Structure formats: C-alpha cells, structure tokens
Amino acid sequence: MADSSHCFYCREDLGGKRFVRSEGRPVCVRCHTKFCANSCVECHRPISELSHKGRYWHEECFRCAKCYKPLAKEPFNTKDDRIMCVRCCSKEDGRSCFCCGETVVYKGKSWHDECFICCGCKQPMGSQSFLSKESDVYCTPCYDEKFAKRCFSCKKPITSGGVNYQEQPWHSHCFVCSSCSKPLAGSSFTNHQNQVFCVDCYKSCVAKKCNGCQNPITGFGKGVNVVNFEGSSWHEYCFNCKRCSLSLANKRFVAKGRDVLCSDCGNKE
C-alpha cells in the first residue's frame, strides 16, 4: 500500500513507499516488523510460526525450559508459564515412578514401563492387558491362575463363560454327557448316580422301559409322572387296564402276571 502520510512510529515520509496499516495507522515495513508483529517468547524476533495461549515461538525456539528438548512436534505441559516436556513436568510435580523414581502413570502412581510389572510372574506388562486386585496388578494369565474359579472337571481356571451345576463351576466344554460327550450347556439333561446324560443317551442307556408302551421313561415332557409296581414301571398315561384300557392312575387295580386290570375286569376272571 502506498500513501503520502508519515509512519506512526518513526515519522518517516511514506510517500511512494510500501507501508501497512496497524489499527488504522500507517506504519513502515521496518517499524511494523519491530513493533507490531508477534515476537518469539524465547528470542524476541518477529514470529508467526507456533503459538500457545496467545504466545508465539519459532519452531526451533519451542523447547523444554528444563532440558531444552525440542517440543514443536512433541507432547508438552506448562508449569508457571514455562513450557516443559512431559518428563520434566512430571519430575517437578513429584510424579515419579513408584518403583525407581522416574516417570509414567497408573491409578495415581507413576511407573516406568520396565518397572510396571506383574505381581505374579514379575514380567513387565508392556502393551498387554492386565487386571488389578486391591493395590496389586497382574497380567491376565497370572490373575486367572491366582483368582479365577476352577472347573470342577479339569481343575483349570475358568477365564470366561462357564456353567454352574450343583453349586460347582464348569467350563462349557467340560460339562458334557457322560456317555456321548455331547456338550450339555443350554440343553436338557438329567442326572443318574452322579453322572449327567443328554436326553438321547439317558433314554437309550439308563432309563427304565415302560411296561405298557416299552418306550423309555425319561421324566421329561408328557412322561413326568411314573407308576412303579413290583419292579415294573409305567408312564402314568400308560398305566391302563389291559382289557378295557381304563386309566388306573390313583385307582384300585388287580395284577394278573405282567398285566394290570381294573377291579371290574379283574373280578370277571
């Protein structure tokens, strides 16, 4: 911009010369650089490169106030208006490693990566997941080994899922039919002499046969109620008079060999 006015600061005649306006006032380029441009907090030269909270730095001047580490591309903190790297700021705040006195933080305590170790195997956690118990930290395998429930069958830790049966924990893959080894989690099953069986194996291997229909008496579904008499068993709906088919459940009956008869049919003999 050219004008015949004078520079607000040095009063130099600006006629025919380049100048800029600062807050509406004409200022020569030299005075604008000296008085109007942002200046670096560190070296005080004019600056427009790097700013933080209204203050400006050259990239090469933006350094930690303690160790002078360049911070233009690094995380940093401020302490009493001083720019510091995270390490130096932590030292000033007293946040030093709980083990060796250096810096890194977990649950209000600070640690080095190499000092942040599992209370079980004493190995550094690194980037692996971990679990805490009161004030101690454990890698997942050590936590499971020390605190997880143990399967009633294989005695190994149950790290996820699992089944509870008769107040005992089981791995889902350990809770299986005693006959065919089919997994029973989420399925119908029954217990016989402290062994568990799927429905099919209980029917074929364990269940008594109904003296009426000769099918297994499982205790499931329609066949929940059972009639027992002199070593023989019937589904309640099969316990009928051999001759007239009258249901004999909760009625008087007469036994003729392997057959049962109602009182009327029995008296006709």
Side-chain angles (χ1 to χ4, degrees):
M1 182 181 294
D3 199 321
S4 58
S5 56
H6 292 78
C7 171
F8 177 78
Y9 291 100
C10 68
R11 309 309 301 166
E12 177 184 357
D13 184 358
L14 299 177
K17 298 179 181 179
R18 288 187 59 80
F19 68 94
V20 294
R21 288 191 178 277
S22 175
E23 299 180 353
R25 299 172 298 194
V27 180
C28 69
V29 175
R30 183 179 66 256
C31 288
H32 182 268
T33 299
K34 182 176 181 181
F35 299 111
C36 301
N38 296 313
S39 59
C40 174
V41 170
E42 187 67 25
C43 70
H44 305 295
R45 289 181 291 132
I47 181 65
S48 61
E49 294 177 24
L50 217 161
S51 66
H52 176 66
K53 292 187 176 181
R55 298 192 296 167
Y56 297 82
W57 287 263
H58 293 106
E59 184 171 320
E60 66 271 18
C61 294
F62 195 64
R63 297 172 176 270
C64 173
K66 295 283 288 184
C67 68
Y68 304 108
K69 174 185 177 181
L71 298 176
K73 298 179 181 178
E74 300 288 336
F76 64 91
N77 290 322
T78 57
K79 174 95 172 155
D80 300 328
D81 286 335
R82 295 177 297 166
I83 302 297
M84 292 189 189
C85 66
V86 175
R87 184 186 181 92
C88 288
C89 191
S90 295
K91 283 185 174 181
E92 287 236 338
D93 287 342
R95 292 183 293 144
S96 57
C97 174
F98 189 66
C99 179
C100 74
E102 295 296 332
T103 353
V104 181
V105 183
Y106 168 69
K107 276 194 172 181
K109 296 177 181 177
S110 301
W111 312 72
H112 268 137
D113 283 344
E114 61 268 25
C115 297
F116 191 55
I117 61 174
C118 169
C119 289
C121 64
K122 308 302 181 184
Q123 295 300 307
M125 296 295 186
S127 59
Q128 68 178 313
S129 60
F130 61 88
L131 296 158
S132 61
K133 187 73 171 179
E134 298 177 348
S135 60
D136 296 329
V137 289
Y138 297 85
C139 65
T140 301
C142 286
Y143 185 92
D144 291 340
E145 184 66 27
K146 190 173 181 67
F147 301 109
K149 291 181 179 179
R150 293 187 174 271
C151 175
F152 183 73
S153 175
C154 70
K155 311 304 180 187
K156 294 180 180 179
I158 299 174
T159 59
S160 63
V163 175
N164 279 306
Y165 176 63
Q166 294 186 340
E167 300 183 354
Q168 298 291 350
W170 305 65
H171 289 115
S172 295
H173 58 267
C174 290
F175 191 63
V176 298
C177 173
S178 298
S179 178
C180 69
S181 299
K182 171 186 174 182
L184 297 178
S187 303
S188 296
F189 64 90
T190 190
N191 182 305
H192 179 70
Q193 295 180 351
N194 293 323
Q195 291 183 299
V196 288
F197 295 88
C198 67
V199 174
D200 290 339
C201 288
Y202 183 77
K203 286 179 179 180
S204 61
C205 304
V206 180
K208 293 180 179 180
K209 299 296 188 291
C210 174
N211 202 46
C213 68
Q214 301 305 310
N215 289 322
I217 299 174
T218 63
F220 300 116
K222 186 179 176 182
V224 170
N225 296 322
V226 180
V227 177
N228 294 298
F229 176 67
E230 292 188 352
S232 296
S233 300
W234 290 259
H235 296 111
E236 186 179 69
Y237 56 82
C238 292
F239 193 59
N240 304 322
C241 175
K242 183 66 174 180
R243 291 186 179 172
C244 69
S245 299
L246 175 72
S247 174
L248 299 177
N250 300 315
K251 293 184 176 66
R252 291 176 64 85
F253 62 89
V254 177
K256 295 291 184 180
R258 292 176 55 85
D259 300 328
V260 288
L261 304 174
C262 64
S263 296
D264 290 343
C265 291
N267 291 333
K268 291 177 183 179
E269 291 290 321

